Amino acid sequence: MEKEELRIGVFVCKCGSNIAGSLDVEGLAEYASTLPNVVYAPWNLYTCADAGLEEIKKGIKEHNLNRVVVASCSPRTHEPLFRSVCGEAGMNPYFFEMVNIRDQCSWVHQDKAQAESSMDKARDLIRMGAAKAALLEPQEIITSEVEVRALVIGGGIAGLTAAISLGNRGFPVILLEKEKELGGMLRSLYRLAPMDLDASEVINAKIKEAEDNPNIEIYTGATIEKVEGFIGKFDITFSANGTSKYVRLGVVIIATGAGNLVPEGMYQYDGDKVITQWELEERFKAGKVDANNVVIIQCVGARSPERRYCSRICCAIGIKNAILIKERNPEAKVHILYRDLMMYGVENEDQLRKAKELGVRFVKYDPERPPVVEENKVTVFHHLMGKELEIPQEMVVLSTPLVGTEDGVKIGNLFRAGLDQNKFFLEAHVKLRPLDCGTDGIFICGSAHYPKDVRESIMQALGAVSRASIPLSQGEVKIEPIVTTLVNKDACRGCGLCVALCPYNALEIRDTDEGRKVNIITVACKGCGVCAATCYRHALSINSFTDYQMEAQIHSFMAA
Amino acid sequence: MAEKNVLIVGGGVAGVKAALAQADAGNKVFMVEDLPSIGGERIPQDRIISDGDFFTAPDLAAVKENNAIQVIDSAEVRSLVGENGNFKVKIHRRTPRVDREKCDDCGECIKVCPIHMYDDYNESLEWRTAVDYFNFGSGSYNVFKEDMPVCQRTCPINLDIRTYVGYIADGKYAESLATIRKKLPFPLSIGRVCPHPCEFECNRGYKDEPISICFLKRYVADHEVYNDVEPPITLPEETYPEKIAIIGGGPSGLTCAYHLALLGYQNNITVFEALPACGGMFLVGIPEYRLPKAILAKDVEFVEKHGVEIKCGVRIGKDISFDDIRKDYDAVLLAIGAHLGMSMRVKNEDAEGVFEGVKFLRDAALGNEIPNKGTCIVVGGGNVAMDVARTSLRVGFDEVNLLYRRTRKEMPASPWEVDAAEHEGIKFHFLVAPQEVVVKGGKAVGMQCLKMELGEPDASGRRRPVPIEGSEFVMDADTLFAAIGQVTDTSVVEEKHGFNIGRKFNFEVNPKTFETNVPGVFSSGDSATGAGIAIAACAGGKTAAESIHKYLRGKK
Amino acid sequence: MQYTTDIRVIRIMCTGRMDPAVMADAFVHGLDGLLVLGCLFGECHYVSGNFNARHKINMTKEMLAYAGMNPGRLSFRNLSSAESELFVKHVTDFSAEIRELGPLGGEADRVPLPKLREKLEIARTALAGPKLRWVVGKKPVFIDTGNKYQEVFTEHEINRTLGGIVVDEMATHSILAALQNKPASVKELAKELEIPAPETLKYVLGLKRRGFLEMESVKDHTPLYKYVEQEG
Ligand SMILES: Cc1cc2nc3c(=O)[nH]c(=O)nc-3n(C[C@H](O)[C@H](O)[C@H](O)COP(=O)(O)OP(=O)(O)OC[C@H]3O[C@@H](n4cnc5c(N)ncnc54)[C@H](O)[C@@H]3O)c2cc1C
Ligand SMILES: Cc1cc2nc3c(=O)[nH]c(=O)nc-3n(C[C@H](O)[C@H](O)[C@H](O)COP(=O)(O)OP(=O)(O)OC[C@H]3O[C@@H](n4cnc5c(N)ncnc54)[C@H](O)[C@@H]3O)c2cc1C
Ligand code: SF4
Ligand code: SF4
Ligand code: SF4
Ligand code: SF4
């Protein structure tokens, strides 16, 4: 193929006075026109305004440009716009390069003393951009079809909510529950704080809604056996009630919940006179609570060296149950021994106030001197009174944290979804992508993520559904072609060095006719470049961020 | 002629010739070779001799092509039983690190293998990488390197030093301690008292000074204590019902108990200790200033927490008979140490005022009455003599004289101990041999000595001291200590039990298994090897635990 | 927010993209300082890219320092995208540090120009070569999950190994570079490269065995070696 003559156009933007205020934009444009392969270098007042965009299109047509550089602002905000304009003018959009002379130059070097050196810097940046542009390669947007069907794992309140919401949007859903019955944790709860609802009523209504929804296929007693594929095309094999089934799905929502810590060996726990909140709830349901002197101990097994986290919901649970005991028998003596109270928000705060009004006693204990449970009494050091307090008891209730489960670990491994050290699922980014897993197409909600109350579980489920609906409703995923490519297939030895380091599992080794070679799952790749920087055979490269392009930028800088 | 199976051990030139001859004779040949490839030292050279033009020895090619010969490389013969015409052999083959099915001689691995070593098959003329060991027969490579780094190899219990020191460098103290405790339950004590043979081998010593392997161990262990971290205890879920008696609660016995617990005998192990507390020579030999009792107690407690029952103040052979022990327990370990001082074999040795050094240390440690006034003489040049001398100074003697037959250079005591003793004011008298205890009124008042000079080297490589005629002199002293070695008091067992007693008054054992000639009875530590160093006693205890496990499981 | 005009920014998607050979190439071309700025550890937008970058940058620093450059010229610092003050601090500090060091090949560097450039070029080839890349690539795996035999290594152990490889690779690649110019004997190589002759011999023999060198001729009873062009 004959090498096309390079015709670079550089558009330098004034951004009103944002850039022109401290840089001589006309001078920069003139300078740009002297650079190698640059055939056209105008300046604009606002390149991103309609007139400016027209200029680019016109420039491409009239000057036969095959590379465009815009020297203006941040690619974070404007690159997609300029890129698509280049595409509209018939140029491959990936022949576009952006240079930031505003955020990284005019704005930050306004001192008069920097006038000269900031012009130097702007010239360098433009020259470096043009040098990189000369080496750009054309790319095509990558699209991949999405199988319009979702999988929801876990039939607790979060999973049910997610399945119903997806079903209501018209997407087919498969809901898998490992137990014989739907409902999760709520099946064994009594009343729900803070609104004092009947847990069974809440969950049974949800179960019915799910069962009545024609778009939801429910499997109980289900185990996932095999998972392959990636966003849009997950191939899942699961067994339910003795038969094995295979399905292809587009997205997955994980709602596998959490477990209850059994506080073996702590505070004389025996499941009889010393019980957990969970066991207390079951007794309430069975109407078997008659103790009148009750001591509730918070943070049992939580916020400790082995479980550093706060389980968030157990303070509310402890207070809810204290109120229930008090309401049943106002004469009952209820003590809550706590470290800190996590009663956040208006409703929870009201509950706390109510508990105090009803006469529940709160005693703060020091984790260095934890309460001691003995036959018929609990001794605790009261830090304000500075002395030991002896509280008579007929029943001790321990507030234990929700804990990650082995089931979660199994699901995590199958889907290559990360878990934290406490076996809770990890989001892709705490603030930017709090509902997504690191692996595309997988979303998390409910206590599987970390301890949550029912309201939060429902909120997160709805959020996850809205995230999951994006690929489902579009029917395809579009991926920026800034991904890795196997530029030298012969060089690849199929060693797997890159595979082990890819944070997105976007690489795998395949046996091919030419031997073992790496295979890139382009839809999963995010273009971080770790693989290319690692490959000892230099077989991989990142589109639009190749070694040569980066080196060209540096060489061009040094060539000043 | 009926086809026979022939085993050839060793795949060098002679082995190859023999294999071909046997195959020609119509036999099926198995050739076992320790290295990853046959042909002895020639193979790698074959590949380079003619610069790309492969030269292969015809015999080797013939072996490869002969279907009647099966080469078992990277393997060693472990045992051979039976007799002529009907042998059974047990061959142990190391796991090859390269999958031979997949390796196609591309050589890529050689480029990237990080371990660089001398090519011993080319007279160390060049460097090669660890994986660069070509197997002629299979056409694949294999990793060939030392199994253990020198330090680990030198350590009697083979602590994984590289890893635990590495973890310390990374600041991962808990992991470091866990690595040590995989083998050794006494990081606090051993970290203080081990004479660290490993450090003498450490390669870093060639550059500047060795890595402080021993004190690094003390450091991580102390770190745990000072931060009040409870040492984690993990015991296996699968347990065994057999009961095991361990006689002697010293380093060896306790290490054995620890490993038996880790093997699944927790709550079935009883340690019988004659003294009021456990620790053996850690407690009653090594003085407080080197190993504080409170520190030792932490190590002992760690072992105890593994489901090990410790019964102190019970002397087997006196409080309980050995017969009873045999009756009540499925296996027995004798780890009674060496607590009897050796005799100086000089006249009047039994006079009042002459003591065994080890007894003095024991009494000092247990708070019993001890001599402590005037001047004393310590005879001996080992670490025990240093401990006796330095302890004497501490308990109140005005002057301490130490007599040694050879010179300072030949002293077996650790140099830092000698330096410390000298620093503290102990007077050394080299090339002096005791001749006779001078007695007045039935009480020792001094030692008549003879001056020596060094002659030819003896069997131990040290120059033998020879007396100088007529050089006798008398050194005055109120108390005399003999610290010239300890032996085991084997009277725990009676003659009727039929134990073989060795040259050093030790229980004779199979050096690999530490089993005595009496089935089911094992012995380790000083009582099996003669007085040695603590880490070796621990190593013995660990091996004994493994042997006891095999013995008990084998009986099933 | 104002800061020095000393810096020029090159955009990469993630610090994980930083290729050791590209970093070395920058200094070969005379750059005075290279600052890699990325996310905070544990908050990488690409999960673990910055951990990989740290391993590679540390190795590159060690190699370049061994080649004679002041390692302060290459630096890896971290910040979140919301911390503009920290960005200013990092670039201001770094610019001041580089001004303190002066231009590349000056007093701050162990080896002066133009020798330094040659040595950096050798370091670049070594960093582009298989061995260092392989070991640094395996480092995170060996520390986390261990090798095929589940033997987990400490970071310290791997760093030590890498340290040894830096020395070996510098020697090997210096020899190869010298022989690419003209054939030479072991003695000449040893003198030119300031590597003790016995070690030079071992490197040469090892390279010969692996097919990088061959004997060219024998001059005064001394063999001369020449470089063999490599394919791929
Ligand atoms: C004692 C106690 C009292 C509480 N009180 C209150 C309260 O008063 N108010 C309040 O708002 N919240 C309360 N909560 C919290 C509430 O229970 C949780 O918020 C809620 O259960 C979270 O719902 P979930 O769907 O995420 O998980 P879960 O309810 O735990 O459901 C998860 C489901 O997933 C299934 N599953 C797990 N693994 C798999 C798998 N591999 N394949 C298929 N299915 C799987 C499980 O069987 C389960 O059915 C309480 C919790 C406890 C423990
Ligand atoms: C003074 C001195 C200093 C030393 N310094 C060091 C040093 O710094 N570093 C070093 O590495 N090594 C040192 N050693 C050597 C080290 O202490 C020994 O090698 C080690 O203690 C041997 O361990 P063991 O378990 O075999 O025997 P011991 O430690 O002797 O333990 C045997 C135990 O068995 C008990 N016992 C004996 N008979 C019976 C019975 N019949 N019934 C019940 N219990 C019985 C004993 O009371 C004793 O507690 C020193 C030795 C001495 C004497
Ligand atoms: S929610 Fe309250 S009781 Fe539960 S862990 Fe947090 S502080 Fe402790
Ligand atoms: S691309 Fe490179 S690192 Fe990945 S398998 Fe191929 S050779 Fe190995
Ligand atoms: S660029 Fe990053 S995400 Fe893409 S394959 Fe390589 S390592 Fe994985
Ligand atoms: S020589 Fe090494 S890299 Fe090549 S096939 Fe064999 S094992 Fe694999």
Side-chain angles (χ1 to χ4, degrees):
Chain A
M1 196 183 78
E2 201 188 318
K3 228 178 155 201
E4 200 189 3
E5 183 208 356
L6 277 172
R7 297 183 65 80
I8 305 179
V10 180
F11 297 80
V12 190
C13 187
K14 288 195 168 176
C15 198
S17 63
N18 272 306
I19 297 176
S22 59
L23 289 173
D24 168 14
V25 170
E26 287 158 45
L28 288 175
E30 200 179 309
Y31 171 76
S33 67
T34 64
L35 294 171
N37 304 317
V38 174
V39 294
Y40 179 53
W43 55 266
N44 304 100
L45 191 56
Y46 289 104
T47 317
C48 57
D50 285 346
L53 299 176
E54 271 317 307
E55 283 273 333
I56 298 182
K57 287 193 204 167
K58 208 168 89 206
I60 293 176
K61 295 217 171 84
E62 285 179 2
H63 296 268
N64 235 343
L65 301 178
N66 52 18
R67 300 288 188 282
V68 168
V69 177
V70 174
S72 58
C73 46
S74 169
R76 203 155 45 96
T77 51
H78 284 66
E79 191 177 63
L81 176 66
F82 293 142
R83 188 159 265 168
S84 66
V85 165
C86 290
E88 285 164 30
M91 195 182 87
N92 184 293
Y94 290 86
F95 278 146
F96 167 77
E97 176 67 19
M98 199 162 169
V99 174
N100 189 344
I101 55 168
R102 187 186 70 181
D103 311 36
Q104 287 174 9
C105 199
S106 68
W107 276 358
V108 291
H109 310 310
Q110 292 187 339
D111 192 335
K112 283 275 170 304
Q114 291 180 322
E116 206 31 58
S117 60
S118 68
M119 271 303 278
D120 283 344
K121 175 169 174 179
R123 278 191 282 263
D124 287 347
L125 291 174
I126 292 172
R127 190 172 67 248
M128 290 159 73
K132 176 169 177 185
L135 295 176
L136 287 173
E137 309 261 347
Q139 313 291 348
E140 297 304 328
I141 295 270
I142 299 160
T143 54
S144 169
E145 264 177 50
V146 171
E147 181 77 28
V148 184
R149 178 176 291 123
L151 172 69
V152 176
I153 311 170
I157 188 76
L160 286 166
T161 306
I164 294 166
S165 175
L166 280 166
N168 288 347
R169 289 171 196 224
F171 300 123
V173 183
I174 292 184
L175 174 62
L176 299 185
E177 166 57 56
K178 78 169 163 54
E179 301 294 335
K180 291 264 163 308
E181 274 175 68
L182 293 171
M185 192 77 88
L186 257 54
R187 279 196 297 138
S188 38
L189 302 187
Y190 178 56
R191 308 292 295 183
L192 288 182
M195 308 315 284
D196 195 22
L197 300 171
D198 183 319
S200 309
E201 274 173 26
V202 171
I203 196 69
N204 289 338
K206 276 275 185 242
I207 294 175
K208 180 152 192 320
E209 206 182 336
E211 283 171 345
D212 291 348
N213 193 313
N215 283 331
I216 307 179
E217 259 180 73
I218 298 173
Y219 295 92
T220 51
T223 328
I224 301 186
E225 282 162 354
K226 199 164 120 202
V227 177
E228 281 177 343
F230 40 85
I231 180 169
K233 295 189 182 61
F234 288 107
D235 292 319
I236 315 272
T237 315
F238 66 91
S239 68
N241 304 320
T243 52
S244 193
K245 277 202 162 55
Y246 157 85
V247 275
R248 172 167 279 200
L249 312 142
V251 294
V252 178
I253 293 181
I254 296 178
T256 49
N260 274 298
L261 178 76
V262 181
E264 287 303 353
M266 303 173 81
Y267 298 109
Q268 313 294 327
Y269 169 77
D270 57 5
D272 175 27
K273 280 204 66 189
V274 181
I275 60 175
T276 62
Q277 291 290 358
W278 188 56
E279 287 158 340
L280 176 64
E281 303 252 355
E282 293 202 310
R283 283 193 198 180
F284 269 131
K285 281 182 77 148
K288 280 201 288 202
V289 180
D290 49 17
N292 286 325
N293 287 330
V294 180
V295 177
I296 296 176
I297 306 179
Q298 298 297 113
C299 288
V300 174
R303 307 170 70 209
S304 62
E306 68 268 35
R307 258 173 249 97
R308 302 228 331 261
Y309 63 95
C310 164
S311 173
R312 302 173 77 252
I313 59 169
C314 21
C315 286
I317 298 168
I319 288 172
K320 166 188 77 176
N321 288 335
I323 292 173
L324 287 173
I325 294 170
K326 270 294 203 185
E327 284 178 341
R328 200 184 42 84
N329 172 11
E331 297 305 306
K333 289 208 165 51
V334 184
H335 281 81
I336 294 186
L337 314 186
Y338 69 101
R339 284 172 58 186
D340 299 287
L341 284 174
M342 305 292 172
M343 295 300 280
Y344 50 91
V346 177
E347 297 90 345
N348 282 332
E349 180 67 18
D350 285 347
Q351 290 293 303
L352 175 58
R353 199 164 300 137
K354 181 170 174 194
K356 287 187 172 163
E357 277 160 10
L358 287 172
V360 176
R361 297 279 176 76
F362 290 84
V363 179
K364 186 176 168 96
Y365 74 88
D366 176 353
E368 300 282 308
R369 300 180 72 166
V372 178
V373 176
E374 280 160 292
E375 187 87 23
N376 303 330
K377 70 173 188 212
V378 175
T379 321
V380 60
F381 180 78
H382 195 296
H383 77 300
L384 286 180
M385 295 198 274
K387 64 170 194 202
E388 298 272 351
L389 219 59
E390 274 189 13
I391 308 168
Q393 56 95 350
E394 289 154 48
M395 177 167 78
V396 175
V397 187
L398 307 179
S399 294
T400 57
L402 290 185
V403 290
T405 61
E406 283 314 314
D407 268 315
V409 175
K410 257 186 239 152
I411 293 291
N413 288 341
L414 278 169
F415 285 92
R416 289 164 282 154
L419 285 92
D420 67 12
Q421 73 266 41
N422 300 311
K423 300 184 190 146
F424 289 115
F425 283 88
L426 267 180
E427 62 281 85
H429 190 282
V430 184
K431 297 185 186 70
L432 304 178
R433 292 170 63 203
L435 301 165
D436 303 23
C437 267
T439 314
D440 276 353
I442 303 179
F443 307 90
I444 351 163
C445 60
S447 292
H449 180 222
Y450 58 69
K452 290 201 181 63
D453 69 14
V454 168
R455 171 174 50 175
E456 291 163 335
S457 302
I458 293 177
M459 289 196 298
Q460 209 190 7
L462 295 174
V465 166
S466 95
R467 293 285 299 146
S469 304
I470 298 173
L472 289 178
S473 52
Q474 294 188 335
E476 62 176 25
V477 273
K478 273 206 173 54
I479 291 133
E480 274 269 323
I482 312 291
V483 292
T484 193
T485 31
L486 185 55
V487 285
N488 190 346
K489 192 166 186 191
D490 289 344
C492 175
R493 292 279 184 241
C495 67
L497 192 60
C498 52
V499 177
L501 296 189
C502 173
Y504 299 99
N505 300 298
L507 300 168
E508 60 188 10
I509 298 294
R510 285 219 179 138
D511 281 316
T512 70
D513 295 343
E514 295 132 286
R516 286 160 62 76
K517 299 283 169 193
V518 73
N519 176 55
I520 299 160
I521 304 162
T522 312
V523 275
C525 173
K526 298 256 189 282
C528 69
V530 166
C531 53
T534 301
C535 177
Y536 80 115
R537 304 278 311 173
H538 304 275
L540 295 166
S541 182
I542 307 296
N543 293 339
S544 296
F545 290 91
T546 68
D547 287 0
Y548 300 119
Q549 290 161 2
M550 284 192 282
E551 287 175 1
Q553 283 172 282
I554 295 171
H555 298 176
S556 144
F557 170 40
M558 297 314 295
Chain B
M1 195 179 84
E3 180 186 301
K4 285 188 177 152
N5 288 339
V6 176
L7 174 75
I8 294 189
V9 185
V13 188
V16 165
K17 279 267 182 246
L20 289 169
Q22 288 295 332
D24 276 349
N27 294 326
K28 171 92 189 126
V29 182
F30 297 88
M31 188 156 71
V32 180
E33 166 59 50
D34 185 28
L35 296 175
S37 177
I38 57 162
E41 306 195 344
R42 288 189 312 177
I43 286 307
Q45 288 194 7
D46 282 352
R47 287 169 60 77
I48 56 161
I49 268 178
S50 42
D51 256 337
D53 195 15
F54 274 69
F55 166 79
T56 22
D59 280 355
L60 299 185
V63 167
K64 192 179 173 187
E65 257 131 53
N66 196 322
N67 288 333
I69 304 177
Q70 188 188 334
V71 178
I72 306 171
D73 56 36
S74 310
E76 62 186 79
V77 173
R78 278 283 163 89
S79 71
L80 187 69
V81 292
E83 53 191 44
N84 208 350
N86 188 21
F87 288 107
K88 270 208 168 67
V89 19
K90 196 164 162 189
I91 297 169
H92 174 82
R93 185 166 192 196
R94 292 186 295 278
T95 325
R97 293 226 158 182
V98 173
D99 185 339
R100 294 188 171 172
E101 298 292 306
K102 290 192 182 141
C103 176
D104 63 359
D105 191 14
C106 74
E108 282 293 310
C109 51
I110 295 175
K111 287 192 204 154
V112 299
C113 173
I115 306 300
H116 140 143
M117 56 196 298
Y118 285 104
D119 190 350
D120 24 5
Y121 299 98
N122 202 8
E123 287 300 322
S124 300
L125 270 180
E126 59 183 56
W127 279 322
R128 64 179 182 89
T129 54
V131 75
D132 188 4
Y133 196 101
F134 187 72
N135 181 304
F136 173 75
S138 62
S140 65
Y141 286 86
N142 206 345
V143 176
F144 188 72
K145 61 183 181 93
E146 300 293 353
D147 280 346
M148 284 180 200
V150 272
C151 47
Q152 185 174 5
R153 222 177 331 137
T154 311
C155 172
I157 205 167
N158 301 138
L159 281 183
D160 187 353
I161 293 166
R162 217 169 32 167
T163 303
Y164 90 68
V165 170
Y167 274 135
I168 296 175
D170 289 356
K172 296 184 176 162
Y173 297 155
E175 286 86 345
S176 175
L177 260 182
T179 308
I180 297 171
R181 286 191 176 130
K182 269 188 202 159
K183 292 183 176 163
L184 177 72
F186 300 118
L188 285 165
S189 308
I190 288 289
R192 284 175 165 74
V193 305
C194 190
H196 47 70
C198 51
E199 289 184 26
F200 297 104
E201 295 302 317
C202 172
N203 281 323
R204 178 80 198 195
Y206 297 111
K207 185 163 185 217
D208 37 40
E209 42 184 84
I211 303 293
S212 292
I213 300 170
C214 180
F215 281 164
L216 281 168
K217 187 184 304 108
R218 170 177 173 177
Y219 172 75
V220 260
D222 281 0
H223 189 271
E224 186 185 69
V225 173
Y226 293 138
N227 287 291
D228 279 334
V229 179
E230 269 302 306
I233 311 248
T234 28
L235 285 164
E237 268 166 25
E238 193 187 349
T239 58
Y240 304 110
E242 288 88 350
K243 292 169 72 192
I244 301 147
I246 292 182
I247 306 178
S252 198
L254 290 180
T255 307
C256 180
Y258 172 69
H259 281 282
L260 283 169
L262 297 185
L263 286 165
Y265 297 89
Q266 69 251 41
N267 305 329
N268 283 324
I269 311 161
T270 312
V271 176
F272 295 96
E273 168 56 56
L275 296 173
C278 258
M281 283 300 187
F282 273 172
L283 183 79
V284 297
I286 302 176
E288 174 83 11
Y289 62 85
R290 290 212 284 132
L291 173 55
K293 309 260 174 291
I295 290 286
L296 169 64
K298 290 212 181 287
D299 273 345
V300 174
E301 183 190 319
F302 175 67
V303 174
E304 201 170 359
K305 283 199 176 148
H306 281 78
V308 173
E309 189 192 3
I310 297 184
K311 289 194 174 160
C312 290
V314 182
R315 183 171 291 276
I316 306 304
K318 188 167 147 245
D319 303 322
I320 300 180
S321 76
F322 189 68
D323 284 319
D324 285 344
I325 293 281
R326 287 287 278 158
K327 219 166 49 235
D328 295 343
Y329 292 88
D330 298 286
V332 183
L333 177 79
L334 291 164
I336 58 173
H339 289 237
L340 290 181
M342 282 210 301
S343 126
M344 295 188 278
R345 275 178 275 160
V346 297
K347 225 167 113 190
N348 298 333
E349 199 172 332
D350 43 12
E352 194 190 328
V354 184
F355 297 89
E356 285 173 8
V358 272
K359 180 169 186 308
F360 167 70
L361 288 173
R362 179 161 63 240
D363 287 338
L366 296 176
N368 298 341
E369 209 177 302
I370 41 169
N372 57 9
K373 294 223 169 54
T375 26
C376 72
I377 293 178
V378 179
V379 180
N383 277 326
V384 177
M386 293 307 126
D387 287 343
V388 172
R390 296 180 67 190
T391 305
S392 309
L393 213 57
R394 282 169 172 74
V395 299
F397 281 102
D398 300 328
E399 187 183 312
V400 182
N401 290 292
L402 189 130
L403 310 188
Y404 181 54
R405 288 191 303 160
R406 311 180 202 223
T407 68
R408 189 186 188 116
K409 219 172 89 211
E410 281 84 18
M411 274 175 92
S414 307
W416 53 91
E417 282 293 316
V418 182
D419 288 348
E422 191 168 39
H423 200 80
E424 289 169 4
I426 284 149
K427 298 212 173 85
F428 284 79
H429 304 269
F430 294 111
L431 290 166
V432 170
Q435 240 189 348
E436 183 181 338
V437 177
V438 184
V439 182
K440 211 183 240 169
K443 200 186 159 311
V445 292
M447 179 76 94
Q448 179 182 319
C449 310
L450 200 58
K451 290 205 169 133
M452 315 288 274
E453 62 188 359
L454 288 182
E456 291 302 304
D458 66 4
S460 73
R462 296 183 297 181
R463 288 170 71 193
R464 185 197 299 276
V466 285
I468 304 175
E469 292 267 337
S471 65
E472 291 86 352
F473 70 101
V474 171
M475 191 182 281
D476 294 337
D478 302 293
T479 309
L480 296 166
F481 295 115
I484 53 166
Q486 307 85 250
V487 293
T488 301
D489 177 7
T490 52
S491 66
V492 229
V493 295
E494 296 156 48
E495 214 159 290
K496 65 166 189 206
H497 294 115
F499 283 91
N500 287 348
I501 303 298
R503 222 166 30 86
K504 302 180 189 159
F505 300 97
N506 55 327
F507 294 106
E508 256 182 18
V509 292
N510 173 336
K512 283 219 165 124
T513 61
F514 287 88
E515 185 165 15
T516 64
N517 59 314
V518 180
V521 182
F522 298 74
S523 179
S524 64
D526 288 358
S527 60
T529 60
I533 63 173
I535 188 74
C538 295
K542 173 171 176 285
T543 315
E546 285 151 8
S547 304
I548 290 171
H549 178 55
K550 282 185 194 149
Y551 165 79
L552 292 174
R553 306 278 48 88
K555 267 175 65 169
K556 282 268 117 38
Chain C
M1 188 176 83
Q2 295 292 303
Y3 54 84
T4 167
T5 51
D6 284 351
I7 58 149
R8 307 288 180 265
V9 180
I10 292 177
R11 179 157 79 119
I12 48 176
M13 300 303 279
C14 167
T15 51
R17 177 72 191 92
M18 284 322 294
D19 189 305
V22 174
M23 291 187 266
D25 179 81
F27 293 107
V28 171
H29 283 82
L31 207 69
D32 296 320
L34 179 60
L35 174 63
V36 182
L37 280 181
C39 312
L40 299 168
F41 291 110
E43 290 184 15
C44 180
H45 283 51
Y46 293 85
V47 188
S48 53
N50 55 1
F51 286 101
N52 285 301
R54 184 174 59 182
H55 294 317
K56 293 198 174 91
I57 292 169
N58 285 343
M59 173 187 82
T60 308
K61 265 173 105 127
E62 185 166 351
M63 186 76 200
L64 298 180
Y66 187 66
M69 185 186 94
N70 189 309
R73 296 188 185 279
L74 173 58
S75 180
F76 184 28
R77 295 176 197 185
N78 309 77
L79 74 179
S80 88
S81 57
E83 296 175 299
S84 52
E85 282 95 48
L86 193 54
F87 175 84
V88 173
K89 180 176 166 13
H90 282 325
V91 296
T92 316
D93 289 356
F94 188 67
S95 146
E97 286 160 31
I98 297 300
R99 284 193 175 276
E100 175 84 31
L101 294 181
L104 184 76
E107 269 178 21
D109 300 287
R110 198 164 41 74
V111 175
L113 283 174
K115 184 87 190 151
L116 179 61
R117 177 184 293 248
E118 276 170 37
K119 291 205 136 197
L120 288 175
E121 173 58 27
I122 289 163
R124 193 197 62 77
T125 15
L127 288 167
K131 188 173 268 186
L132 283 165
R133 296 177 80 89
W134 181 275
V135 178
V136 82
K138 277 287 177 196
K139 184 173 172 182
V141 182
F142 276 19
I143 295 176
D144 284 355
T145 44
N147 63 10
K148 271 195 114 137
Y149 309 93
Q150 274 94 50
E151 295 164 338
V152 177
F153 296 86
T154 69
E155 178 153 10
H156 174 80
E157 281 177 305
I158 298 186
N159 286 346
R160 199 184 38 198
T161 308
L162 269 170
I165 298 175
V166 160
V167 175
D168 276 0
E169 288 286 279
M170 192 72 198
T172 337
H173 287 272
S174 307
I175 293 173
L176 290 176
L179 293 183
Q180 261 163 321
N181 280 339
K182 64 170 183 7
S185 69
V186 168
K187 218 190 282 171
E188 287 161 352
L189 284 170
K191 189 153 168 254
E192 184 188 333
L193 304 174
E194 293 167 1
I195 306 171
E199 288 189 22
T200 311
L201 174 71
K202 291 192 174 75
Y203 284 122
V204 165
L205 290 178
L207 284 168
K208 175 166 168 271
R209 177 143 86 103
R210 278 160 41 203
F212 284 98
L213 310 177
E214 56 189 40
M215 220 193 317
E216 192 229 17
S217 60
V218 177
K219 208 171 88 194
D220 308 332
H221 308 290
T222 308
L224 296 187
Y225 293 94
K226 70 167 188 214
Y227 178 71
V228 179
E229 264 329 304
Q230 299 295 305
E231 37 184 299

